[in-house]
């Protein structure tokens, strides 16, 4: 029996080490493919139940008895906002997972920054107005650059949304767009809570939130600026912040001008 067991253990050990060595030898392309598959599957698996939950909540809200019950309505409202928050978190996490695995294709389109900025401001205006915050856009009538339109819009959205989130009621948020000889620039200036100097280097880290933001019910999850940083990185640019506590913050993005565009515009 002992000999039999010893042979069995040895067999299992050999099999395991064979499998592990096979895994270690897995070609990079296979690992990449599997990562890509995982991100695709995870995206489907995580999003589907969330959207089912959201439509179920919508249906419940309209059910007889619930509509007239303030407590039930309040509970459903909380559930809805948490499901929405979770949906945002899932899409941010998947975005970063895709970025890590290199499966995100970057497009190079000719975009008018002024138009994109107007659209982003328009979509954020109800949120800003609810907090009596006013947007000011300073930009030339047309500001053509080459970049990935969706990502640049996302970058503007993250910076402007943060400016609103971290400002007291009644503040101003200024978005300035400019184009220099070699680069183009986005600057978002708010009159908000500001960021402590020790925290300024950490805010671009994943999941980092300052203590001040944690204590405020602001609904973030600390991934916005890491996505912003990734977007700036793929455009070969830089992002920085200048801030003073209780005075406000200015986020500045500089992106080198694509030579092809400069030629195309001449
Ligand atoms: P989130 O806003 O979801 O917490 P972000 O990655 O966008 O995540 O930001 C990280 C942290 O940086 C925030 O939690 C907040 O502490 C700080 N921060 C970002 N933008 C601002 C701003 N405009 N003013 C003050 N603090 C900010």
């Amino acid at each position: 029996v002992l000999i039999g067991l010893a042979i069995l253990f040895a067999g299992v050990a050999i099999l395991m080490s064979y499998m592990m060595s096979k895994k270690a030898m897995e070609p990079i392309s296979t690992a990449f493919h599997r990562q890509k598959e995982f991100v695709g599957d995870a995206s489907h698996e995580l999003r589907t139940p969330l959207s089912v939950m959201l439509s179920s909540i919508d249906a419940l809200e309209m059910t007889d008895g619930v509509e007239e019950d303030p407590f039930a309505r309040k509970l459903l409202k909380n559930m809805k906002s948490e499901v929405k928050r979770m949906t945002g978190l899932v899409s941010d996490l998947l975005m970063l997972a895709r970025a890590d695995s290199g499966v995100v294709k970057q497009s190079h389109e000719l975009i008018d920054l002024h138009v994109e900025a107007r659209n982003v401001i328009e979509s954020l205006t109800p949120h800003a107005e609810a907090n009596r915050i006013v947007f000011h856009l300073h930009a030339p009538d047309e500001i053509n650059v080459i970049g990935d339109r969706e990502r640049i819009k996302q970058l503007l959205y993250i910076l402007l949304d943060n400016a609103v989130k971290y400002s007291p009621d009644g503040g101003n948020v200024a978005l300035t767009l400019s184009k220099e000889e070699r680069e183009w620039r986005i600057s978002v200036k708010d009159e908000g809570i500001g960021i402590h100097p020790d925290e300024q280097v950490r805010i671009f880290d994943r999941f980092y939130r300052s203590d001040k933001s944690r204590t405020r019910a602001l609904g973030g999850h600390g991934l916005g600026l890491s996505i912003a940083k990734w977007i700036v990185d793929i455009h070969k640019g830089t992002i920085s912040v200048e801030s003073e506590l209780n005075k406000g913050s200015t986020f500045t993005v500089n992106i080198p001008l694509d030579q092809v565009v400069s030629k195309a515009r001449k």
Side-chain angles (χ1 to χ4, degrees):
V1 172
L2 276 176
I3 292 172
L5 274 177
I7 292 172
L8 191 68
F9 275 127
V12 170
I14 291 169
L15 193 67
M16 279 178 68
S17 65
Y18 172 74
M19 280 167 69
M20 282 166 77
S21 66
K22 263 208 92 149
K23 194 160 186 258
M25 286 186 314
E26 183 176 69
I28 292 173
S29 62
T30 315
F32 177 73
H33 183 72
R34 287 209 307 178
Q35 168 90 337
K36 203 168 158 181
E37 243 177 30
F38 166 76
V39 172
D41 290 351
S43 162
H44 180 73
E45 295 301 327
L46 295 166
R47 276 185 227 260
T48 311
L50 287 170
S51 63
V52 171
M53 276 161 81
L54 206 57
S55 38
S56 308
I57 296 171
D58 281 342
L60 262 177
E61 276 178 333
M62 286 183 282
T63 312
D64 284 348
V66 171
E67 262 182 311
E68 298 81 40
D69 183 341
F71 184 62
R73 276 209 325 262
K74 189 170 173 248
L75 288 183
L76 286 173
K77 196 175 159 217
N78 290 349
M79 278 168 73
K80 201 169 180 173
S81 91
E82 284 307 305
V83 171
K84 281 188 177 164
R85 202 169 99 83
M86 181 75 116
T87 310
L89 173 61
V90 164
S91 74
D92 282 358
L93 276 174
L94 289 170
M95 162 94 255
L96 286 168
R98 276 198 211 101
D100 287 346
S101 62
V103 295
V104 186
K105 281 209 186 86
Q106 187 191 355
S107 65
H108 300 270
E109 303 153 78
L110 183 61
I111 51 184
D112 184 346
L113 266 187
H114 192 129
V115 172
E116 303 307 336
R118 280 222 165 280
N119 289 339
V120 175
I121 287 180
E122 207 176 292
S123 70
L124 278 167
T125 297
H127 174 41
E129 275 176 354
N131 299 291
R132 291 188 292 110
I133 288 168
V134 181
F135 286 122
H136 304 270
L137 174 60
H138 308 289
D141 289 344
E142 208 183 71
I143 178 157
N144 290 317
V145 298
I146 287 271
D148 184 320
R149 186 191 310 276
E150 286 313 310
R151 306 277 163 254
I152 296 296
K153 270 162 71 177
Q154 196 176 5
L155 171 67
L156 287 166
Y157 190 95
I158 292 168
L159 297 179
L160 291 171
D161 186 43
N162 276 351
V164 173
K165 258 194 322 200
Y166 301 111
S167 289
D169 282 6
N172 293 292
V173 171
L175 168 62
T176 309
L177 306 171
S178 59
K179 191 166 161 184
E180 319 288 327
E181 203 182 322
R182 288 171 178 272
E183 58 189 11
W184 53 273
R185 183 171 305 146
I186 297 172
S187 148
V188 177
K189 184 177 186 330
D190 65 53
E191 301 168 347
I193 60 172
I195 306 158
H196 191 279
D198 293 346
E199 299 193 300
Q200 287 173 22
V201 281
R202 304 183 59 194
I203 54 172
F204 298 98
D205 294 348
R206 291 182 191 182
F207 291 111
Y208 184 79
R209 307 197 72 204
S210 79
D211 288 342
K212 260 190 154 179
S213 336
R214 276 177 203 284
T215 50
R216 288 158 54 106
L218 291 169
H221 36 67
L223 289 177
L225 286 180
S226 13
I227 294 178
K229 169 94 174 62
W230 171 74
I231 295 171
V232 172
D233 284 348
I234 61 170
H235 285 85
K236 313 253 179 317
T238 57
I239 181 165
S240 58
V241 62
E242 272 177 53
S243 182
E244 208 178 322
L245 272 183
N246 304 319
K247 287 254 167 69
S249 312
T250 304
F251 284 84
T252 307
V253 171
N254 284 302
I255 295 191
L257 272 175
D258 194 308
Q259 290 307 304
V260 181
V261 185
S262 332
K263 277 186 199 137
R265 293 200 70 225
K266 268 178 200 164

